[in-house]
Amino acid sequence: MCVIRELLPYRRPFVLTLLVALLVLAVSLFMVRREYSVRSTIAVPATFADNKLTPLYQPDQMAKQVTSGYLFPALLELSQKGVLPSTLNTLERTKAEAAGLFVNLSSSVQESQQDDARRFQQLIVDQIIKERAVEVEALRKSVAAKVASANRASRDLVQQTRDFESQIQTLSASAEELKKQIGSRQSELTTAFKNTANSNSADERAVNETVVRELREQIGSLLVLTRDTDTQRLGMARALVDIKRQNEEQLKAAADGERELETISDTRVLLPPSVIPVSIGPRRLSLLLAGFFLSLMAAFGTVVVLYNFDRHFGSKKPSTGRPE
Amino acid sequence: MNGASDYAPGLSDPSPQGEHRLGPAWLIYFHAAVCCASLAYLGRIYGYAGIAYDDAHLYDAALNVIPFVLVSVLFTFARFSFGYFLGFHFYTVILGFLWLVESSKLGYDKEAASISAFASAVAFLLPTLFILSPILRTDVVSVRTFDRILTAVLVASTALIVVSAFYNFRLVDFAAASRVRSQLNEPTALGYLDPIASNALLPVAFATFVLRRNFWRAALTILLLLAFYPVTLSKTALFAPFWILGITVLSKLFEARTTVVLTLFLPVVTGVVLGFLADQDFVAYVSVRNYIGLVNLRMVAIPSSALDLYNDFFAKHDLTYFCQVNILKRLFSCPYAQPLAVMMQNAYGVGNLNASLFATEGIASVGLAGAPIAVLACGLVVALGNRVSASLPPRYVLMSGAIIPQVFLNVPLTISLMTGGAAVLFLMWLITPRAMFEQPRRE
């Protein structure tokens, strides 16, 4: 409190500095020329893959390429067309920002520089589209080749399926025939057993027993043959399932490829270089407030300097701020 | 508040009238401007820890900072004290945070964080700048006893360095030291004793020797401080001797409060000038990179950036309610098993990031709303430092406490006090005999 009381005599220099500083800052603020924003928006090439829209180029990478690569040839071209160096300096500060699948270009320029800024951004946009178009076309061809390959593989697999199904049918028919033969042999065997049992002489019995043995051997051979046929048929059925699965995969790959082909989008211009009609001039009210704070600080700083000066070099009695 | 008569006469102040004048005003404004320029430059060069430079945020950052610069009025009115020294460092940290918060890409409530930081800074500065009454008005120990204590400090520090050298001794540059430091393996006791000796005891010894014109012993103290570097590999140990010498020279030339401002202003403005020269191709960037990285980034910007990260982390995770303090962690359940520094590394990949009392005792412990109250309590603890150092010569406080503000900026209050050496420093100030600095009166 004591110090503040001692500072009271300095109220005049305080107010004077405050007013002068505020006046200077306010005038400077109103003299700042209005700026306009020239903007354009590019959509990066994308495709629908894995059930989501995926960019073919990362937008943030493309944004970096704009500021580190595309910017300079465009500046050079404008320079050769006689655009003023001050405008080129302004355009060099053009920003590129990624937002989702888009890249936004924005240049803050003065009114007289709007046309140059539009031309400048158009040059960049054209260059990006030109370069990306070649790459997107190459990608399309690559995907189309994959689709064709998948379709060819699918056709081969379909043919294999048919062949296998036909072979399985043949094997099934063979198996049926073998079963019939086994049935017939077994009834003959039953008859042979009966004949053997009813044989009247040893010779007749021996003949019948021979028949029984032969029939048994035939039935055994037929059973082995049946088992082999079944095994072969089972193996073919399994292979058929595998071929069908492969075919489905190829069909899916072909369908995915076709869908990708349909959804591959080119680099598109969503917003051609345009001047945003609203001025982006400094936010004057908040800056005026900041200016007031700065003026307060300047006034306070001046009072502190005067006070300390008086304490150090002058009399201990504080200055009144008035000329003697 | 005390009158200037509480200061020991003679050696206390290079400018005897210093404390009768108001503190610096314009210098602090310049300092604030230079800090903002430094942060803008760093954001463009480094883009560190989620901070990215963006022209669009310059206005917002400036508008955020300007009202806070008005707080510097407190430094103009306040008398010099330890709290003034520490408070100015924290003022710079909060100023930096208010600048960075506008361009931070982290997603938390920036407006609430700014208001909380502003309020916390004021809550911290009021007690640390204006609680100055001494705790004791009589000397606790005699000058002779204190001399013996200082001799014991020198002997004990030498022994400590020798013992530490048995565990680690490596002569590497400070860039390599950061990588090697994590491999150091030393007993826990040394981990506590080394910083206490190098941050508190030796600076006290140095300050005493310088003010008593015992320059040989002062030089020996500086050598001992330097010898802590190969055994601890900490940047603080490497730069502590130079830092203390710098403060010694500045405090000889300027009044204490001006010295405080210059201790931060001069290093930062040098970095800004070097950066400007590098931008204009007058000097190669590689030759100034280490300086800017160490001073402008590590020393000044990182403590501000840590506030940004802590704000973001604790906007999305549970508060600690002080359970980061080991003793409390044993008594109460804590949502975090690991130290906060490790949590920050896991979340943001910025290395083990401890942060100041504003971030740890404030934001992490009680959140944005409670931070000003917690920080006020921390300010009252720091004010104890003012009270135990009251009536000591400002130059003595500056030199003996030279390292401690750097400790406070980077670790929480509890660690600063216990491990960083602040509590021992306060004790040393308490027992420092005031009679030691009295000059015989001229007839």
Side-chain angles (χ1 to χ4, degrees):
Chain A
M1 280 299 139
C2 177
V3 178
I4 292 174
R5 206 178 304 126
E6 283 189 25
L7 288 178
L8 274 179
Y10 296 91
R11 59 187 178 276
R12 285 194 177 192
F14 179 85
V15 173
L16 190 67
T17 316
L18 176 71
L19 290 178
V20 169
L22 192 59
L23 189 69
V24 169
L25 286 172
V27 168
S28 319
L29 205 58
F30 280 96
M31 282 176 70
V32 172
R33 276 193 275 185
R34 284 172 169 264
E35 286 192 341
Y36 293 83
S37 179
V38 176
R39 288 174 178 267
S40 51
T41 303
I42 309 164
V44 297
T47 183
F48 196 79
D50 297 332
N51 291 325
K52 60 180 178 184
L53 204 57
T54 311
L56 297 177
Y57 302 95
Q58 289 305 317
D60 53 345
Q61 289 300 319
M62 190 185 269
K64 279 182 190 162
Q65 284 172 2
V66 170
T67 48
S68 61
Y70 292 111
L71 199 105
F72 301 106
L75 281 175
L76 195 65
E77 193 168 332
L78 285 188
S79 160
Q80 286 162 354
K81 287 179 181 169
V83 172
L84 294 172
S86 60
T87 306
L88 296 176
N89 280 340
T90 306
L91 295 177
E92 197 179 348
R93 291 195 292 271
T94 294
K95 285 185 289 186
E97 287 175 338
L101 291 174
F102 307 133
V103 175
N104 297 315
L105 303 185
S106 67
S107 318
S108 295
V109 295
Q110 287 164 14
E111 198 167 3
S112 59
Q113 298 170 327
Q114 288 176 12
D115 288 341
D116 289 332
R118 273 203 299 253
R119 271 199 296 162
F120 172 70
Q121 289 194 9
Q122 191 61 55
L123 283 170
I124 293 175
V125 169
D126 290 345
Q127 189 62 24
I128 291 173
I129 289 176
K130 188 177 159 191
E131 287 187 13
R132 292 292 174 263
V134 175
E135 291 168 15
V136 170
E137 193 50 41
L139 181 73
R140 280 206 180 96
K141 282 180 182 165
S142 158
V143 175
K146 279 183 195 165
V147 170
S149 164
N151 282 333
R152 266 199 312 277
S154 172
R155 279 197 297 275
D156 291 347
L157 289 167
V158 168
Q159 187 55 49
Q160 278 185 44
T161 307
R162 284 182 193 140
D163 293 348
F164 270 57
E165 282 172 348
S166 160
Q167 286 178 36
I168 288 169
Q169 275 178 359
T170 309
L171 287 170
S172 299
S174 302
E176 283 301 314
E177 182 58 31
L178 286 169
K179 276 180 191 167
K180 279 180 193 164
Q181 285 181 24
I182 290 168
S184 156
R185 293 292 183 280
Q186 279 174 336
S187 58
E188 284 175 25
L189 186 65
T190 311
T191 311
F193 275 130
K194 282 179 186 169
N195 291 341
T196 309
N198 297 333
S199 300
N200 295 326
S201 63
D203 288 344
E204 193 182 351
R205 187 181 190 85
V207 169
N208 282 332
E209 279 176 356
T210 306
V211 170
V212 166
R213 196 166 51 247
E214 283 174 356
L215 281 170
R216 276 181 171 162
E217 283 171 3
Q218 283 176 16
I219 288 169
S221 302
L222 284 170
L223 281 171
V224 169
L225 210 59
T226 306
R227 198 173 61 232
D228 288 349
T229 307
D230 284 346
T231 307
Q232 203 178 348
R233 197 169 51 161
L234 191 65
M236 294 199 79
R238 281 181 185 148
L240 186 62
V241 170
D242 194 40
I243 288 169
K244 281 183 176 172
R245 187 183 52 75
Q246 286 181 33
N247 187 33
E248 276 171 17
E249 280 175 7
Q250 292 299 330
L251 286 173
K252 185 176 179 304
D256 286 350
E258 276 165 10
R259 191 169 52 176
E260 194 178 345
L261 265 180
E262 284 170 15
T263 56
I264 288 177
S265 60
D266 288 303
T267 312
R268 288 170 298 133
V269 180
L270 289 187
L271 174 69
S274 325
V275 177
I276 304 299
V278 182
S279 157
I280 54 159
R283 287 158 294 172
R284 293 212 163 103
L285 195 63
S286 50
L287 285 176
L288 262 181
L289 191 64
F292 175 71
F293 283 135
L294 288 173
S295 308
L296 264 182
M297 289 178 337
F300 178 73
T302 306
V303 167
V304 170
V305 169
L306 289 174
Y307 178 86
N308 283 343
F309 186 84
D310 283 347
R311 299 291 295 212
H312 194 73
F313 298 107
S315 66
K316 298 288 178 191
K317 195 178 169 184
S319 154
T320 59
R322 295 177 189 171
E324 293 294 327
Chain B
M1 285 187 231
N2 300 307
S5 58
D6 284 336
Y7 286 88
L11 291 166
S12 63
D13 194 341
S15 163
Q17 292 173 328
E19 287 295 326
H20 297 286
R21 299 204 307 265
L22 289 171
W26 283 103
L27 188 58
I28 299 178
Y29 303 158
F30 289 137
H31 170 72
V34 163
C35 281
C36 294
S38 168
L39 289 167
Y41 180 76
L42 288 172
R44 188 153 56 87
I45 298 296
Y46 289 89
Y48 52 92
I51 311 293
Y53 174 80
D54 190 347
D55 280 346
H57 294 296
L58 277 180
Y59 281 131
D60 297 322
L63 292 176
N64 225 21
V65 160
I66 287 171
F68 187 69
V69 179
L70 283 178
V71 172
S72 68
V73 169
L74 295 177
F75 291 99
T76 307
F77 285 121
R79 285 178 42 215
F80 174 78
S81 62
F82 169 69
Y84 190 99
F85 194 13
L86 182 59
F88 188 73
H89 279 71
F90 275 125
Y91 167 80
T92 305
V93 169
I94 300 300
L95 183 94
F97 170 70
L98 292 174
W99 177 274
L100 291 178
V101 74
E102 285 300 329
S103 47
S104 167
K105 285 183 174 173
L106 300 174
Y108 58 91
D109 186 346
K110 309 279 174 59
E111 201 175 323
S114 299
I115 293 169
S116 173
F118 196 117
S120 299
V122 174
F124 181 78
L125 290 175
L126 288 176
T128 51
L129 292 181
F130 297 109
I131 295 180
L132 302 169
S133 59
I135 283 180
L136 293 175
R137 289 185 181 271
T138 53
D139 286 349
V140 178
V141 298
S142 66
V143 174
R144 192 181 177 81
T145 310
F146 193 70
D147 263 342
R148 286 181 184 147
I149 290 172
L150 293 186
T151 307
V153 164
L154 292 185
V155 173
S157 299
T158 310
L160 201 56
I161 291 164
V162 172
V163 173
S164 299
F166 279 113
Y167 291 96
N168 306 296
F169 187 88
R170 301 182 201 203
L171 284 171
V172 291
D173 65 62
F174 73 84
S178 313
R179 293 193 298 274
V180 180
R181 198 163 50 243
S182 58
Q183 301 160 13
L184 293 185
N185 186 19
E186 61 178 10
T188 313
L190 286 181
Y192 282 93
L193 291 174
D194 283 345
I196 287 172
S198 61
N199 297 343
L201 294 174
L202 287 174
V204 166
F206 175 79
T208 313
F209 297 145
V210 167
L211 290 189
R212 300 188 73 194
R213 309 184 73 78
N214 197 337
F215 295 122
W216 284 109
R217 293 182 90 187
L220 174 67
T221 312
I222 287 293
L223 286 178
L224 285 176
L225 276 170
L226 206 54
F228 270 101
Y229 174 67
V231 296
T232 61
L233 295 183
S234 84
K235 286 190 204 67
T236 313
L238 178 62
F239 292 101
F242 306 105
W243 187 251
I244 291 176
L245 286 173
I247 287 182
T248 307
V249 173
L250 282 176
S251 61
K252 183 77 182 163
L253 299 173
F254 299 99
E255 184 250 330
R257 289 172 294 185
T258 307
T259 302
V260 168
V261 181
L262 288 175
T263 54
L264 283 179
F265 174 73
L266 289 178
V268 176
V269 80
T270 305
V272 171
V273 170
L274 288 176
F276 175 77
L277 292 177
D279 272 358
Q280 302 300 317
D281 291 332
F282 287 120
V283 291
Y285 177 68
V286 283
S287 60
V288 300
R289 187 178 51 195
N290 279 346
Y291 180 89
I292 293 172
L294 189 72
V295 174
N296 296 58
L297 180 67
R298 180 65 195 87
M299 195 174 98
V300 180
I302 293 289
S304 303
S305 171
L307 278 172
D308 184 40
L309 296 181
Y310 271 64
N311 265 309
D312 184 60
F313 187 86
F314 288 99
K316 298 163 187 164
H317 297 83
D318 292 336
L319 299 176
T320 66
Y321 297 106
F322 301 101
C323 74
Q324 75 275 6
V325 182
N326 277 336
I327 297 170
L328 296 180
K329 193 181 259 182
R330 286 180 200 138
L331 298 175
F332 306 107
S333 67
C334 185
Y336 304 105
Q338 292 177 304
L340 290 185
V342 179
M343 304 291 300
M344 290 295 138
Q345 154 64 11
N346 294 342
Y348 301 101
V350 290
N352 288 357
L353 185 73
N354 267 311
S356 64
L357 59 93
F358 278 79
T360 313
E361 275 86 1
I363 297 157
S365 296
V366 289
L368 288 180
I373 297 165
V375 170
L376 173 71
C378 295
L380 292 170
V381 174
V382 171
L384 272 179
N386 294 348
R387 299 191 66 195
V388 294
S389 63
S391 76
L392 284 171
R395 202 167 169 225
Y396 179 77
V397 175
L398 271 171
M399 287 189 285
S400 56
I403 310 300
I404 291 297
Q406 287 303 322
V407 176
F408 269 93
L409 290 198
N410 293 294
V411 293
L413 177 76
T414 46
I415 296 180
S416 302
L417 287 172
M418 305 317 296
T419 319
V424 173
L425 180 69
F426 290 0
L427 184 67
M428 291 299 285
W429 281 342
L430 183 70
I431 65 168
T432 302
R434 276 51 176 173
M436 191 165 61
F437 304 108
E438 285 175 4
Q439 278 185 331
R441 287 177 188 278
R442 286 181 187 172
E443 292 302 320

